[in-house]
Amino acid sequence: MKILVLNGPNLQLLGRRKVEVYGVVPLHEIEARLRVVASELGVELSFMQSNHEGVIVDAIAQALADGVDGLVINPAAYTHTSVAIRDAIEGVRLPAVEIHLSNIHAREGFRHDSLTAPVCIGQIAGLGADGYEWALRALVRYINNKTTKAQG
Ligand code: DQA
């Protein structure tokens, strides 16, 4: 099973950016932790981070072409604005779990709405860097359950 972990704008600054909100764990450390979980689960991971909406849209389309089975995505600020990323997730019809380090529902009003969550199987928010692990585990279980059902 292949999973793509996608991170949107400014997440390359994790560990330095608003640490009281996003925590001290840098993105490369999150990726290292996910690799450990992935090897436990026996899944293959790839990572990408971009500050550009179109690059993220292209990466979602490419995921389908590359035979990726599911997405873990933190669209960051694009969560609240990007019809294009929402349409891309919906368009490829790959299961996706949306993850946010912070609890977007407890923050400024403009962060309460997610344009992308409705086309994801679920959303994890507010659990900090650990949320990436829960997102990956939830996604892999979802895909496994679906595959088992389809075979049975
Ligand atoms: C974020 C929440 C977004 O509102 C914000 O723009 C981010 C990070 C999070 O992980 O908590 O950049 O997606």
Side-chain angles (χ1 to χ4, degrees), residues 9 11 17 22 74 76-77 79-80 99-102 104 107 111:
L11 292 171
R17 169 190 181 210
Y22 298 120
N74 184 347
T79 306
H80 319 296
I99 183 281
H100 299 284
L101 296 125
S102 64
I104 55 172
R107 297 182 63 197
R111 294 186 205 274

Side-chain angles (χ1 to χ4, degrees), residues 68-109:
V68 165
D69 299 290
L71 309 169
V72 169
I73 182 164
N74 184 347
Y78 287 137
T79 306
H80 319 296
T81 63
S82 181
V83 176
I85 293 175
R86 175 198 171 110
D87 285 352
I89 298 169
E90 192 176 32
V92 294
R93 304 183 73 212
L94 289 174
V97 175
E98 179 170 308
I99 183 281
H100 299 284
L101 296 125
S102 64
N103 182 355
I104 55 172
H105 306 287
R107 297 182 63 197
E108 304 98 318

